[in-house]
Amino acid sequence: MSESRRHAEVSGGGFAGLTAATALARMGWSVRLHERAPEFRTEGAGIVLWNNSLQVLDKIGAMPDLMSKSMTPPAYETRMNNVMQSQETLDGIRWRTLTRPHLYDTLLVAAREAGVEILVGSEVVSATPEGRITLADGSTADADLIVGADGVSSAVRDSLGVPLKRERSRDGITRFLVPRHKSELQALEPDTNWDNVIDFWNLDPRVLRVLYTPANDDELYIALMSPSADADGSRVPIDLDLWVSIFPQLAPVLEDAAKTPGKYYGYQTTRLEHWTEGKVALIGDAAHAMCPALAQGAGSAMQNAWTLAVAATAAGESEMADALTEWERLERPFTDRVQDRSQWYADSREMANGNQFVGESVEAALYNPTDPHRHEVKA
Ligand code: FAD
Ligand code: 5PR
């Protein structure tokens, strides 16, 4: 059995790489995962996951752990210039909010349980279509499948010379995890349900936005958005007086955010000419970095990590390249649409009008990448 086991080398221990490695190992592969950083990144603030990634977490056995420290807020509320635009209860949509450290911990436990060999401080510098990777220390390894999950600046992708288009949006965001401060917020605004996600948009006279997302009973994820051209709005540490002047009801949490250094991320979208080359497949931000508007960057990454593992496992050894091409043909259109829609929302700031859970937003949120019938044309 062990002699016939196929082998995968995975570059990158983010949400994409950890999910792909775990899925492959559970499907019988021997898997080695390389993370360049000396330890797993537990920084990063909060995250929203929808059915498409939750289905994958079910399959890799990670859901009980994920559920233990995450929540489903009662509604998704949108305000513009402090006027309520909508309160969407998302009935029938499965979603969870949580912290990024908790998602990392959950995926790491799942990867170890599945028997993935995890190397930290191990940098992949290149890959070949024939299935060989080279590490920064000069050593090489051969595999039946190479997964490039090494993020938006992917070395695997760039070593293969895959043509890429990068577009930057005018807005960006600084993210924080802070204590909930629920009773103080309740005292400031008693009629508000502070368990909701609240998307506070301010467009006039100045574009500033706070996305307020409770991540569990104790922790709150807040994302502060401003145009990158606004030097004060995008400054880190944040300009506390400016933010409190626009969002006075959030003062207790903004004060905590101001104590953290923070990092401003400009939104960007990258599109590749192709996601695969021979025995190499690219997933996650290495393949399709997207604007966060639909909260689907990690979701799409985990979705494609799962479908890749299924497609590679079904392929015979001699037909890996063709199987990967077919995987991209089937899976990519959906991701492309989610990416386009996220960019459109980010560029138009259309979310400020509320009622955003229509079209691609709902479709992506409900999608089930583990359904074998998902590509069948519905009558
Ligand atoms: P990364 O997280 O970048 O991981 C890549 C890993 O590879 C890193 O650990 C890196 O150290 C490692 N690495 C890099 N180079 C090498 C190398 N040469 N060799 C070995 N290892 C290497 N998505 C959602 O689904 N929901 C959300 O709510 C959400 N909110 C977001 C908010 C913001 C502001 C932003 C910017 C993004 C958001 N996203 C969200 C998107 C999501 O964070 C990313 O799409 C996702 O984390 C990408 O995962 P990844 O594993 O592909 O890449
Ligand atoms: N949704 C989420 C998010 O973190 C952001 C956006 C939407 C969960 C920004 O960080 O619209 O930019 C957004």
Side-chain angles (χ1 to χ4, degrees), residues 19 34 65 73 103-104 127 161 175 180 213 245 277 296 301 313 357:
T19 305
H34 304 268
D65 196 9
L103 183 56
Y104 265 109
R175 302 172 281 178
R180 288 285 302 268
T213 307
S245 72
E277 189 123 0
Q296 280 289 359
T313 302
F357 289 93

Side-chain angles (χ1 to χ4, degrees), residues 194-229:
W194 292 101
D195 284 338
N196 285 344
V197 171
I198 311 176
D199 198 354
F200 293 89
W201 284 84
N202 199 87
L203 294 179
D204 195 21
R206 185 171 188 165
V207 177
L208 291 174
R209 167 193 181 200
V210 178
L211 178 61
Y212 168 102
T213 307
N216 55 52
D217 288 345
D218 307 316
E219 292 166 287
L220 172 71
Y221 163 43
I222 49 171
L224 277 58
M225 189 195 97
S226 75
S228 46

Side-chain angles (χ1 to χ4, degrees), residues 57-258:
L57 291 163
D58 279 334
K59 288 282 188 188
I60 64 172
M63 263 322 263
D65 196 9
L66 184 122
M67 292 298 286
S68 71
K69 214 176 144 200
S70 61
M71 63 185 274
T72 301
Y76 199 111
E77 181 173 328
T78 305
R79 301 187 193 181
M80 197 199 320
N81 301 328
N82 216 20
V83 176
M84 172 103 66
Q85 305 297 305
S86 61
Q87 238 179 357
E88 297 169 89
T89 51
L90 309 189
D91 296 329
I93 298 182
R94 187 176 173 217
W95 64 302
R96 299 299 280 179
T97 61
L98 62 155
T99 69
R100 282 177 188 255
H102 185 57
L103 183 56
Y104 265 109
D105 291 346
T106 297
L107 288 173
L108 275 170
V109 168
R112 291 195 177 109
E113 276 176 9
V116 175
E117 185 188 349
I118 297 175
L119 300 178
V120 290
S122 182
E123 180 181 353
V124 176
V125 292
S126 64
T128 66
E130 294 75 30
R132 172 167 293 185
I133 58 162
T134 302
L135 304 178
D137 66 8
S139 61
T140 61
D142 293 317
D144 303 292
L145 172 69
I146 292 175
V147 182
D150 41 2
V152 69
S153 306
S154 171
V156 167
R157 177 194 69 210
D158 293 347
S159 73
L160 291 164
V162 178
L164 155 127
K165 282 201 189 111
R166 191 184 301 271
E167 290 179 78
R168 295 188 195 276
S169 298
R170 61 186 159 164
D171 294 332
I173 213 140
T174 308
R175 302 172 281 178
F176 302 94
L177 272 185
V178 296
R180 288 285 302 268
H181 290 288
K182 220 172 136 178
S183 52
E184 288 150 271
L185 294 168
Q186 207 71 61
L188 283 166
E189 240 183 45
D191 293 339
T192 294
N193 183 344
W194 292 101
D195 284 338
N196 285 344
V197 171
I198 311 176
D199 198 354
F200 293 89
W201 284 84
N202 199 87
L203 294 179
D204 195 21
R206 185 171 188 165
V207 177
L208 291 174
R209 167 193 181 200
V210 178
L211 178 61
Y212 168 102
T213 307
N216 55 52
D217 288 345
D218 307 316
E219 292 166 287
L220 172 71
Y221 163 43
I222 49 171
L224 277 58
M225 189 195 97
S226 75
S228 46
D230 180 342
D232 291 327
S234 54
R235 169 167 306 153
V236 290
I238 63 163
D239 181 337
L240 183 61
D241 291 343
L242 169 65
W243 288 93
V244 172
S245 72
I246 310 269
F247 304 103
Q249 68 274 66
L250 294 175
V253 297
L254 292 169
E255 278 159 19
D256 278 341

